[in-house]
Amino acid sequence: MTGSDRELARYRLAAQVLAGLAAADATLATAESLTGGLLAATVTSVPGASACYRGGIVAYATDVKHRLLDVPEEVLQAHGAVSAETAEAMAAGAREALGSTHCVATTGVAGPDLQEGKPVGLVYVAVAGPRGNSSSRHRLAGERAVVRADAVGAVLDFLLSELTRST
């Protein structure tokens, strides 16, 4: 799949997510680390996104995850910034801060170096919503830009699955 094919697939996925949220009269927020705003940019590239999208927080540094997203210090110490527990706490914190019904979060290692001893391509995505919090682990391959872009696709796909399950 070429870069433009991947971008189109992510756009279509974002459009499906927004349609699902609109049908449920729900809203979305984002909490991003490794994707650095790419998730928010993808969501807002869809016309009419403002009907559902509340906003996002890019918490790249670990201390920002704690201060702005209320990720407990104990979670960061025990599991690290790249973990399912941190992804779920990020999503819950941004959901609360931005007043949305759903929030998605991304954290991981885009590369080129290890982080916290964790390998490049290790990504955790999470969804916080009315039914609680859940996360999934991914091992993505490719250079930094590909890992970041594929993380956006993974989190949108995860949210779409959650929305489909709850209807």
Side-chain angles (χ1 to χ4, degrees):
M1 191 181 270
T2 67
S4 60
D5 290 339
R6 280 188 164 121
E7 187 174 339
L8 181 58
R10 286 189 310 274
Y11 173 85
R12 287 181 175 154
L13 195 52
Q16 286 181 286
V17 163
L18 289 168
L21 289 165
D25 197 28
T27 57
L28 177 65
T30 55
E32 302 183 66
S33 185
L34 87 146
T35 50
L38 185 59
L39 175 57
T42 300
V43 169
T44 59
S45 71
V46 177
S50 61
C52 298
Y53 186 65
R54 302 266 309 147
I57 298 171
V58 177
Y60 210 67
T62 301
D63 66 306
V64 176
K65 290 173 181 66
H66 173 65
R67 283 195 339 264
L68 290 184
L69 297 175
D70 284 334
V71 176
E73 192 65 44
E74 307 80 58
V75 168
L76 293 167
Q77 290 294 322
H79 304 284
V82 179
S83 66
E85 294 83 0
T86 294
E88 288 185 25
M90 288 172 63
R95 179 178 181 237
E96 175 70 25
L98 297 170
S100 62
T101 57
H102 294 79
C103 183
V104 291
T106 62
T107 188
V109 185
D113 301 318
L114 298 174
Q115 182 179 337
E116 301 173 341
K118 296 173 183 169
V120 172
L122 177 61
V123 172
Y124 292 92
V125 300
V127 174
R131 294 182 29 204
N133 302 341
S134 57
S135 59
S136 66
R137 178 184 187 270
H138 302 268
R139 282 302 311 264
L140 304 176
E143 62 186 40
R144 182 178 177 82
V146 172
V147 169
R148 293 176 69 237
D150 287 353
V152 169
V155 77
L156 289 172
D157 189 52
F158 191 54
L159 175 57
L160 188 59
S161 294
E162 290 288 310
L163 290 172
T164 303
R165 224 173 37 169
S166 65
T167 56

mmCIF file of all heavy atoms in Angstrom, residues 20-75:
data_model
loop_
_atom_site.group_PDB
_atom_site.id
_atom_site.type_symbol
_atom_site.label_atom_id
_atom_site.label_comp_id
_atom_site.label_asym_id
_atom_site.label_seq_id
_atom_site.Cartn_x
_atom_site.Cartn_y
_atom_site.Cartn_z
ATOM 1 N N GLY A 20 -20.443 7.407 12.827
ATOM 2 C CA GLY A 20 -20.922 6.591 13.939
ATOM 3 C C GLY A 20 -21.169 7.417 15.186
ATOM 4 O O GLY A 20 -22.169 7.210 15.888
ATOM 5 N N LEU A 21 -20.263 8.347 15.457
ATOM 6 C CA LEU A 21 -20.441 9.226 16.614
ATOM 7 C C LEU A 21 -21.664 10.116 16.437
ATOM 8 O O LEU A 21 -22.453 10.284 17.371
ATOM 9 C CB LEU A 21 -19.186 10.078 16.825
ATOM 10 C CG LEU A 21 -17.957 9.342 17.331
ATOM 11 C CD1 LEU A 21 -16.709 10.200 17.140
ATOM 12 C CD2 LEU A 21 -18.120 8.938 18.787
ATOM 13 N N ALA A 22 -21.832 10.681 15.245
ATOM 14 C CA ALA A 22 -22.973 11.558 14.977
ATOM 15 C C ALA A 22 -24.283 10.790 15.141
ATOM 16 O O ALA A 22 -25.241 11.305 15.726
ATOM 17 C CB ALA A 22 -22.861 12.165 13.583
ATOM 18 N N ALA A 23 -24.317 9.559 14.642
ATOM 19 C CA ALA A 23 -25.535 8.739 14.747
ATOM 20 C C ALA A 23 -25.875 8.445 16.202
ATOM 21 O O ALA A 23 -27.054 8.307 16.550
ATOM 22 C CB ALA A 23 -25.355 7.438 13.969
ATOM 23 N N ALA A 24 -24.868 8.373 17.044
ATOM 24 C CA ALA A 24 -25.075 8.097 18.472
ATOM 25 C C ALA A 24 -25.182 9.376 19.294
ATOM 26 O O ALA A 24 -25.249 9.313 20.520
ATOM 27 C CB ALA A 24 -23.929 7.237 18.998
ATOM 28 N N ASP A 25 -25.160 10.515 18.624
ATOM 29 C CA ASP A 25 -25.169 11.813 19.305
ATOM 30 C C ASP A 25 -24.042 11.876 20.338
ATOM 31 O O ASP A 25 -24.231 12.294 21.484
ATOM 32 C CB ASP A 25 -26.521 12.081 19.965
ATOM 33 C CG ASP A 25 -26.712 13.552 20.329
ATOM 34 O OD1 ASP A 25 -26.115 14.411 19.644
ATOM 35 O OD2 ASP A 25 -27.429 13.835 21.310
ATOM 36 N N ALA A 26 -22.853 11.431 19.909
ATOM 37 C CA ALA A 26 -21.684 11.342 20.786
ATOM 38 C C ALA A 26 -20.582 12.279 20.304
ATOM 39 O O ALA A 26 -20.618 12.764 19.166
ATOM 40 C CB ALA A 26 -21.174 9.902 20.818
ATOM 41 N N THR A 27 -19.615 12.507 21.168
ATOM 42 C CA THR A 27 -18.497 13.387 20.840
ATOM 43 C C THR A 27 -17.167 12.666 21.032
ATOM 44 O O THR A 27 -17.103 11.636 21.694
ATOM 45 C CB THR A 27 -18.524 14.664 21.702
ATOM 46 O OG1 THR A 27 -18.510 14.284 23.081
ATOM 47 C CG2 THR A 27 -19.749 15.511 21.395
ATOM 48 N N LEU A 28 -16.126 13.256 20.473
ATOM 49 C CA LEU A 28 -14.798 12.646 20.488
ATOM 50 C C LEU A 28 -13.743 13.654 20.915
ATOM 51 O O LEU A 28 -13.788 14.823 20.526
ATOM 52 C CB LEU A 28 -14.446 12.131 19.081
ATOM 53 C CG LEU A 28 -13.058 11.532 18.883
ATOM 54 C CD1 LEU A 28 -12.897 10.251 19.701
ATOM 55 C CD2 LEU A 28 -12.812 11.255 17.401
ATOM 56 N N ALA A 29 -12.788 13.166 21.693
ATOM 57 C CA ALA A 29 -11.574 13.914 22.024
ATOM 58 C C ALA A 29 -10.390 12.989 21.753
ATOM 59 O O ALA A 29 -10.555 11.773 21.639
ATOM 60 C CB ALA A 29 -11.582 14.348 23.486
ATOM 61 N N THR A 30 -9.198 13.572 21.652
ATOM 62 C CA THR A 30 -7.997 12.783 21.403
ATOM 63 C C THR A 30 -6.910 13.145 22.404
ATOM 64 O O THR A 30 -6.793 14.299 22.824
ATOM 65 C CB THR A 30 -7.462 13.006 19.970
ATOM 66 O OG1 THR A 30 -7.262 14.407 19.747
ATOM 67 C CG2 THR A 30 -8.428 12.477 18.932
ATOM 68 N N ALA A 31 -6.125 12.133 22.761
ATOM 69 C CA ALA A 31 -4.945 12.314 23.608
ATOM 70 C C ALA A 31 -3.807 11.621 22.873
ATOM 71 O O ALA A 31 -3.855 10.409 22.657
ATOM 72 C CB ALA A 31 -5.162 11.700 24.980
ATOM 73 N N GLU A 32 -2.811 12.379 22.473
ATOM 74 C CA GLU A 32 -1.765 11.825 21.620
ATOM 75 C C GLU A 32 -0.381 11.979 22.216
ATOM 76 O O GLU A 32 -0.064 13.000 22.805
ATOM 77 C CB GLU A 32 -1.772 12.513 20.260
ATOM 78 C CG GLU A 32 -3.087 12.403 19.522
ATOM 79 C CD GLU A 32 -3.024 13.046 18.154
ATOM 80 O OE1 GLU A 32 -2.282 12.545 17.285
ATOM 81 O OE2 GLU A 32 -3.709 14.071 17.959
ATOM 82 N N SER A 33 0.423 10.957 21.993
ATOM 83 C CA SER A 33 1.834 11.031 22.306
ATOM 84 C C SER A 33 2.606 10.816 21.005
ATOM 85 O O SER A 33 2.882 11.776 20.299
ATOM 86 C CB SER A 33 2.213 10.019 23.388
ATOM 87 O OG SER A 33 3.567 10.202 23.758
ATOM 88 N N LEU A 34 2.878 9.576 20.638
ATOM 89 C CA LEU A 34 3.734 9.341 19.470
ATOM 90 C C LEU A 34 3.161 9.906 18.188
ATOM 91 O O LEU A 34 3.926 10.223 17.267
ATOM 92 C CB LEU A 34 4.048 7.848 19.296
ATOM 93 C CG LEU A 34 3.052 7.015 18.495
ATOM 94 C CD1 LEU A 34 3.803 5.951 17.723
ATOM 95 C CD2 LEU A 34 2.026 6.408 19.374
ATOM 96 N N THR A 35 1.846 10.055 18.072
ATOM 97 C CA THR A 35 1.255 10.577 16.839
ATOM 98 C C THR A 35 1.336 12.096 16.750
ATOM 99 O O THR A 35 1.123 12.664 15.684
ATOM 100 C CB THR A 35 -0.198 10.099 16.688
ATOM 101 O OG1 THR A 35 -0.906 10.364 17.898
ATOM 102 C CG2 THR A 35 -0.247 8.615 16.368
ATOM 103 N N GLY A 36 1.648 12.755 17.826
ATOM 104 C CA GLY A 36 1.967 14.179 17.828
ATOM 105 C C GLY A 36 1.000 15.107 17.114
ATOM 106 O O GLY A 36 1.407 16.092 16.514
ATOM 107 N N GLY A 37 -0.292 14.814 17.149
ATOM 108 C CA GLY A 37 -1.278 15.673 16.496
ATOM 109 C C GLY A 37 -1.783 15.126 15.165
ATOM 110 O O GLY A 37 -2.752 15.645 14.608
ATOM 111 N N LEU A 38 -1.157 14.083 14.666
ATOM 112 C CA LEU A 38 -1.564 13.491 13.393
ATOM 113 C C LEU A 38 -2.980 12.918 13.474
ATOM 114 O O LEU A 38 -3.750 13.002 12.521
ATOM 115 C CB LEU A 38 -0.569 12.411 12.969
ATOM 116 C CG LEU A 38 -0.770 11.767 11.605
ATOM 117 C CD1 LEU A 38 -0.719 12.810 10.492
ATOM 118 C CD2 LEU A 38 0.300 10.696 11.373
ATOM 119 N N LEU A 39 -3.343 12.358 14.612
ATOM 120 C CA LEU A 39 -4.692 11.828 14.799
ATOM 121 C C LEU A 39 -5.721 12.950 14.717
ATOM 122 O O LEU A 39 -6.719 12.842 13.990
ATOM 123 C CB LEU A 39 -4.778 11.097 16.145
ATOM 124 C CG LEU A 39 -6.143 10.580 16.583
ATOM 125 C CD1 LEU A 39 -6.741 9.636 15.557
ATOM 126 C CD2 LEU A 39 -6.006 9.893 17.941
ATOM 127 N N ALA A 40 -5.479 14.028 15.436
ATOM 128 C CA ALA A 40 -6.397 15.171 15.389
ATOM 129 C C ALA A 40 -6.485 15.735 13.978
ATOM 130 O O ALA A 40 -7.572 16.081 13.504
ATOM 131 C CB ALA A 40 -5.950 16.251 16.368
ATOM 132 N N ALA A 41 -5.359 15.820 13.292
ATOM 133 C CA ALA A 41 -5.353 16.333 11.920
ATOM 134 C C ALA A 41 -6.159 15.427 10.995
ATOM 135 O O ALA A 41 -6.881 15.913 10.116
ATOM 136 C CB ALA A 41 -3.920 16.477 11.423
ATOM 137 N N THR A 42 -6.056 14.132 11.198
ATOM 138 C CA THR A 42 -6.799 13.187 10.364
ATOM 139 C C THR A 42 -8.294 13.332 10.601
ATOM 140 O O THR A 42 -9.082 13.394 9.649
ATOM 141 C CB THR A 42 -6.337 11.736 10.646
ATOM 142 O OG1 THR A 42 -4.942 11.639 10.345
ATOM 143 C CG2 THR A 42 -7.108 10.735 9.811
ATOM 144 N N VAL A 43 -8.693 13.398 11.856
ATOM 145 C CA VAL A 43 -10.118 13.537 12.193
ATOM 146 C C VAL A 43 -10.663 14.848 11.638
ATOM 147 O O VAL A 43 -11.740 14.880 11.026
ATOM 148 C CB VAL A 43 -10.334 13.443 13.718
ATOM 149 C CG1 VAL A 43 -11.742 13.849 14.114
ATOM 150 C CG2 VAL A 43 -10.027 12.028 14.205
ATOM 151 N N THR A 44 -9.937 15.928 11.812
ATOM 152 C CA THR A 44 -10.448 17.234 11.387
ATOM 153 C C THR A 44 -10.328 17.473 9.886
ATOM 154 O O THR A 44 -10.837 18.466 9.387
ATOM 155 C CB THR A 44 -9.776 18.380 12.164
ATOM 156 O OG1 THR A 44 -8.367 18.329 11.955
ATOM 157 C CG2 THR A 44 -10.099 18.286 13.646
ATOM 158 N N SER A 45 -9.701 16.552 9.169
ATOM 159 C CA SER A 45 -9.664 16.676 7.707
ATOM 160 C C SER A 45 -11.002 16.295 7.087
ATOM 161 O O SER A 45 -11.264 16.603 5.922
ATOM 162 C CB SER A 45 -8.548 15.804 7.120
ATOM 163 O OG SER A 45 -8.867 14.427 7.225
ATOM 164 N N VAL A 46 -11.871 15.657 7.866
ATOM 165 C CA VAL A 46 -13.187 15.248 7.380
ATOM 166 C C VAL A 46 -14.154 16.426 7.519
ATOM 167 O O VAL A 46 -14.308 16.972 8.622
ATOM 168 C CB VAL A 46 -13.712 14.038 8.180
ATOM 169 C CG1 VAL A 46 -15.114 13.649 7.718
ATOM 170 C CG2 VAL A 46 -12.755 12.861 8.069
ATOM 171 N N PRO A 47 -14.801 16.841 6.412
ATOM 172 C CA PRO A 47 -15.779 17.929 6.514
ATOM 173 C C PRO A 47 -16.876 17.591 7.528
ATOM 174 O O PRO A 47 -17.362 16.465 7.581
ATOM 175 C CB PRO A 47 -16.362 18.006 5.096
ATOM 176 C CG PRO A 47 -15.301 17.432 4.215
ATOM 177 C CD PRO A 47 -14.661 16.346 5.040
ATOM 178 N N GLY A 48 -17.219 18.561 8.350
ATOM 179 C CA GLY A 48 -18.250 18.364 9.362
ATOM 180 C C GLY A 48 -17.740 17.770 10.659
ATOM 181 O O GLY A 48 -18.533 17.489 11.564
ATOM 182 N N ALA A 49 -16.432 17.590 10.787
ATOM 183 C CA ALA A 49 -15.861 17.005 12.008
ATOM 184 C C ALA A 49 -16.243 17.802 13.246
ATOM 185 O O ALA A 49 -16.383 17.233 14.332
ATOM 186 C CB ALA A 49 -14.341 16.912 11.888
ATOM 187 N N SER A 50 -16.450 19.082 13.085
ATOM 188 C CA SER A 50 -16.747 19.926 14.242
ATOM 189 C C SER A 50 -18.059 19.567 14.922
ATOM 190 O O SER A 50 -18.284 19.932 16.076
ATOM 191 C CB SER A 50 -16.759 21.405 13.839
ATOM 192 O OG SER A 50 -17.757 21.631 12.862
ATOM 193 N N ALA A 51 -18.914 18.811 14.255
ATOM 194 C CA ALA A 51 -20.165 18.379 14.877
ATOM 195 C C ALA A 51 -19.916 17.395 16.012
ATOM 196 O O ALA A 51 -20.732 17.290 16.929
ATOM 197 C CB ALA A 51 -21.082 17.743 13.828
ATOM 198 N N CYS A 52 -18.777 16.684 15.964
ATOM 199 C CA CYS A 52 -18.486 15.656 16.975
ATOM 200 C C CYS A 52 -17.161 15.859 17.701
ATOM 201 O O CYS A 52 -17.021 15.434 18.842
ATOM 202 C CB CYS A 52 -18.441 14.266 16.333
ATOM 203 S SG CYS A 52 -19.981 13.744 15.595
ATOM 204 N N TYR A 53 -16.186 16.457 17.029
ATOM 205 C CA TYR A 53 -14.842 16.522 17.601
ATOM 206 C C TYR A 53 -14.707 17.694 18.555
ATOM 207 O O TYR A 53 -14.923 18.844 18.177
ATOM 208 C CB TYR A 53 -13.794 16.618 16.492
ATOM 209 C CG TYR A 53 -12.376 16.543 17.014
ATOM 210 C CD1 TYR A 53 -11.897 15.390 17.619
ATOM 211 C CD2 TYR A 53 -11.519 17.624 16.901
ATOM 212 C CE1 TYR A 53 -10.613 15.316 18.116
ATOM 213 C CE2 TYR A 53 -10.222 17.556 17.382
ATOM 214 C CZ TYR A 53 -9.774 16.407 17.987
ATOM 215 O OH TYR A 53 -8.494 16.333 18.477
ATOM 216 N N ARG A 54 -14.345 17.409 19.823
ATOM 217 C CA ARG A 54 -14.216 18.444 20.852
ATOM 218 C C ARG A 54 -12.836 19.069 20.901
ATOM 219 O O ARG A 54 -12.690 20.230 21.225
ATOM 220 C CB ARG A 54 -14.525 17.846 22.230
ATOM 221 C CG ARG A 54 -15.878 17.219 22.358
ATOM 222 C CD ARG A 54 -16.938 18.123 22.889
ATOM 223 N NE ARG A 54 -16.492 18.758 24.113
ATOM 224 C CZ ARG A 54 -16.847 19.992 24.480
ATOM 225 N NH1 ARG A 54 -17.655 20.693 23.743
ATOM 226 N NH2 ARG A 54 -16.412 20.501 25.598
ATOM 227 N N GLY A 55 -11.809 18.265 20.650
ATOM 228 C CA GLY A 55 -10.449 18.780 20.721
ATOM 229 C C GLY A 55 -9.496 17.688 21.141
ATOM 230 O O GLY A 55 -9.888 16.535 21.340
ATOM 231 N N GLY A 56 -8.229 18.073 21.269
ATOM 232 C CA GLY A 56 -7.229 17.088 21.616
ATOM 233 C C GLY A 56 -6.093 17.682 22.420
ATOM 234 O O GLY A 56 -5.898 18.902 22.454
ATOM 235 N N ILE A 57 -5.359 16.789 23.049
ATOM 236 C CA ILE A 57 -4.182 17.168 23.822
ATOM 237 C C ILE A 57 -3.014 16.321 23.333
ATOM 238 O O ILE A 57 -3.117 15.094 23.307
ATOM 239 C CB ILE A 57 -4.399 16.942 25.336
ATOM 240 C CG1 ILE A 57 -5.555 17.811 25.848
ATOM 241 C CG2 ILE A 57 -3.108 17.210 26.119
ATOM 242 C CD1 ILE A 57 -5.996 17.512 27.267
ATOM 243 N N VAL A 58 -1.947 16.994 22.932
ATOM 244 C CA VAL A 58 -0.718 16.289 22.579
ATOM 245 C C VAL A 58 0.178 16.351 23.805
ATOM 246 O O VAL A 58 0.660 17.416 24.174
ATOM 247 C CB VAL A 58 -0.023 16.915 21.352
ATOM 248 C CG1 VAL A 58 1.288 16.209 21.070
ATOM 249 C CG2 VAL A 58 -0.937 16.855 20.130
ATOM 250 N N ALA A 59 0.336 15.210 24.432
ATOM 251 C CA ALA A 59 1.147 15.100 25.652
ATOM 252 C C ALA A 59 2.347 14.229 25.312
ATOM 253 O O ALA A 59 2.362 13.039 25.592
ATOM 254 C CB ALA A 59 0.321 14.508 26.778
ATOM 255 N N TYR A 60 3.340 14.835 24.717
ATOM 256 C CA TYR A 60 4.506 14.099 24.225
ATOM 257 C C TYR A 60 5.438 13.702 25.369
ATOM 258 O O TYR A 60 5.908 12.581 25.423
ATOM 259 C CB TYR A 60 5.229 14.967 23.196
ATOM 260 C CG TYR A 60 5.952 14.189 22.134
ATOM 261 C CD1 TYR A 60 5.257 13.427 21.206
ATOM 262 C CD2 TYR A 60 7.329 14.233 22.047
ATOM 263 C CE1 TYR A 60 5.920 12.721 20.223
ATOM 264 C CE2 TYR A 60 7.997 13.537 21.063
ATOM 265 C CZ TYR A 60 7.294 12.780 20.146
ATOM 266 O OH TYR A 60 7.948 12.076 19.181
ATOM 267 N N ALA A 61 5.666 14.609 26.281
ATOM 268 C CA ALA A 61 6.567 14.348 27.411
ATOM 269 C C ALA A 61 5.827 13.631 28.543
ATOM 270 O O ALA A 61 4.631 13.866 28.766
ATOM 271 C CB ALA A 61 7.152 15.660 27.936
ATOM 272 N N THR A 62 6.532 12.777 29.232
ATOM 273 C CA THR A 62 5.933 11.983 30.306
ATOM 274 C C THR A 62 5.326 12.862 31.396
ATOM 275 O O THR A 62 4.212 12.591 31.872
ATOM 276 C CB THR A 62 6.978 11.015 30.897
ATOM 277 O OG1 THR A 62 7.437 10.161 29.836
ATOM 278 C CG2 THR A 62 6.394 10.169 32.004
ATOM 279 N N ASP A 63 6.019 13.933 31.797
ATOM 280 C CA ASP A 63 5.476 14.789 32.848
ATOM 281 C C ASP A 63 4.196 15.496 32.411
ATOM 282 O O ASP A 63 3.324 15.772 33.223
ATOM 283 C CB ASP A 63 6.523 15.800 33.345
ATOM 284 C CG ASP A 63 6.922 16.804 32.291
ATOM 285 O OD1 ASP A 63 7.332 16.395 31.188
ATOM 286 O OD2 ASP A 63 6.834 18.014 32.575
ATOM 287 N N VAL A 64 4.038 15.742 31.117
ATOM 288 C CA VAL A 64 2.824 16.367 30.596
ATOM 289 C C VAL A 64 1.661 15.369 30.669
ATOM 290 O O VAL A 64 0.526 15.748 30.957
ATOM 291 C CB VAL A 64 3.036 16.898 29.166
ATOM 292 C CG1 VAL A 64 1.750 17.453 28.578
ATOM 293 C CG2 VAL A 64 4.125 17.968 29.157
ATOM 294 N N LYS A 65 1.950 14.104 30.425
ATOM 295 C CA LYS A 65 0.915 13.073 30.566
ATOM 296 C C LYS A 65 0.368 13.097 32.000
ATOM 297 O O LYS A 65 -0.839 12.984 32.215
ATOM 298 C CB LYS A 65 1.484 11.688 30.232
ATOM 299 C CG LYS A 65 1.797 11.476 28.768
ATOM 300 C CD LYS A 65 2.507 10.145 28.561
ATOM 301 C CE LYS A 65 2.873 9.891 27.129
ATOM 302 N NZ LYS A 65 3.867 10.801 26.574
ATOM 303 N N HIS A 66 1.250 13.245 32.954
ATOM 304 C CA HIS A 66 0.836 13.290 34.358
ATOM 305 C C HIS A 66 0.076 14.579 34.676
ATOM 306 O O HIS A 66 -1.030 14.537 35.225
ATOM 307 C CB HIS A 66 2.060 13.146 35.267
ATOM 308 C CG HIS A 66 1.772 13.350 36.714
ATOM 309 N ND1 HIS A 66 0.962 12.495 37.438
ATOM 310 C CD2 HIS A 66 2.163 14.320 37.569
ATOM 311 C CE1 HIS A 66 0.874 12.942 38.676
ATOM 312 N NE2 HIS A 66 1.588 14.040 38.776
ATOM 313 N N ARG A 67 0.647 15.723 34.293
ATOM 314 C CA ARG A 67 0.065 17.015 34.668
ATOM 315 C C ARG A 67 -1.234 17.336 33.934
ATOM 316 O O ARG A 67 -2.195 17.780 34.543
ATOM 317 C CB ARG A 67 1.068 18.142 34.448
ATOM 318 C CG ARG A 67 2.137 18.218 35.522
ATOM 319 C CD ARG A 67 2.919 19.534 35.543
ATOM 320 N NE ARG A 67 2.897 20.294 34.321
ATOM 321 C CZ ARG A 67 3.846 20.267 33.367
ATOM 322 N NH1 ARG A 67 4.885 19.496 33.514
ATOM 323 N NH2 ARG A 67 3.753 21.011 32.295
ATOM 324 N N LEU A 68 -1.274 17.139 32.623
ATOM 325 C CA LEU A 68 -2.450 17.548 31.851
ATOM 326 C C LEU A 68 -3.501 16.456 31.700
ATOM 327 O O LEU A 68 -4.685 16.762 31.559
ATOM 328 C CB LEU A 68 -2.042 18.019 30.450
ATOM 329 C CG LEU A 68 -1.279 19.332 30.368
ATOM 330 C CD1 LEU A 68 -1.046 19.713 28.916
ATOM 331 C CD2 LEU A 68 -2.023 20.447 31.087
ATOM 332 N N LEU A 69 -3.070 15.212 31.713
ATOM 333 C CA LEU A 69 -4.019 14.120 31.476
ATOM 334 C C LEU A 69 -4.305 13.296 32.725
ATOM 335 O O LEU A 69 -5.040 12.318 32.653
ATOM 336 C CB LEU A 69 -3.496 13.204 30.356
ATOM 337 C CG LEU A 69 -3.340 13.873 28.994
ATOM 338 C CD1 LEU A 69 -2.711 12.912 27.998
ATOM 339 C CD2 LEU A 69 -4.686 14.375 28.483
ATOM 340 N N ASP A 70 -3.721 13.686 33.843
ATOM 341 C CA ASP A 70 -3.939 12.982 35.111
ATOM 342 C C ASP A 70 -3.539 11.511 35.070
ATOM 343 O O ASP A 70 -4.147 10.683 35.750
ATOM 344 C CB ASP A 70 -5.397 13.106 35.571
ATOM 345 C CG ASP A 70 -5.695 14.468 36.158
ATOM 346 O OD1 ASP A 70 -4.748 15.114 36.658
ATOM 347 O OD2 ASP A 70 -6.857 14.896 36.105
ATOM 348 N N VAL A 71 -2.511 11.183 34.278
ATOM 349 C CA VAL A 71 -1.985 9.821 34.334
ATOM 350 C C VAL A 71 -1.280 9.701 35.678
ATOM 351 O O VAL A 71 -0.359 10.470 35.971
ATOM 352 C CB VAL A 71 -1.009 9.538 33.170
ATOM 353 C CG1 VAL A 71 -0.398 8.142 33.300
ATOM 354 C CG2 VAL A 71 -1.711 9.701 31.828
ATOM 355 N N PRO A 72 -1.717 8.769 36.522
ATOM 356 C CA PRO A 72 -1.119 8.664 37.855
ATOM 357 C C PRO A 72 0.389 8.387 37.796
ATOM 358 O O PRO A 72 0.856 7.596 36.971
ATOM 359 C CB PRO A 72 -1.856 7.480 38.485
ATOM 360 C CG PRO A 72 -3.151 7.405 37.748
ATOM 361 C CD PRO A 72 -2.818 7.822 36.339
ATOM 362 N N GLU A 73 1.111 9.058 38.666
ATOM 363 C CA GLU A 73 2.564 8.862 38.759
ATOM 364 C C GLU A 73 2.891 7.390 38.983
ATOM 365 O O GLU A 73 3.870 6.872 38.450
ATOM 366 C CB GLU A 73 3.129 9.732 39.895
ATOM 367 C CG GLU A 73 4.632 9.839 39.895
ATOM 368 C CD GLU A 73 5.197 10.547 38.670
ATOM 369 O OE1 GLU A 73 4.645 11.584 38.260
ATOM 370 O OE2 GLU A 73 6.198 10.035 38.105
ATOM 371 N N GLU A 74 2.044 6.713 39.770
ATOM 372 C CA GLU A 74 2.267 5.290 40.047
ATOM 373 C C GLU A 74 2.199 4.448 38.776
ATOM 374 O O GLU A 74 2.934 3.475 38.617
ATOM 375 C CB GLU A 74 1.221 4.746 41.044
ATOM 376 C CG GLU A 74 1.086 5.517 42.341
ATOM 377 C CD GLU A 74 0.229 6.791 42.186
ATOM 378 O OE1 GLU A 74 -0.947 6.731 41.775
ATOM 379 O OE2 GLU A 74 0.779 7.867 42.496
ATOM 380 N N VAL A 75 1.293 4.802 37.866
ATOM 381 C CA VAL A 75 1.175 4.082 36.585
ATOM 382 C C VAL A 75 2.431 4.307 35.759
ATOM 383 O O VAL A 75 2.996 3.360 35.191
ATOM 384 C CB VAL A 75 -0.088 4.533 35.815
ATOM 385 C CG1 VAL A 75 -0.068 4.032 34.374
ATOM 386 C CG2 VAL A 75 -1.340 4.054 36.530
#
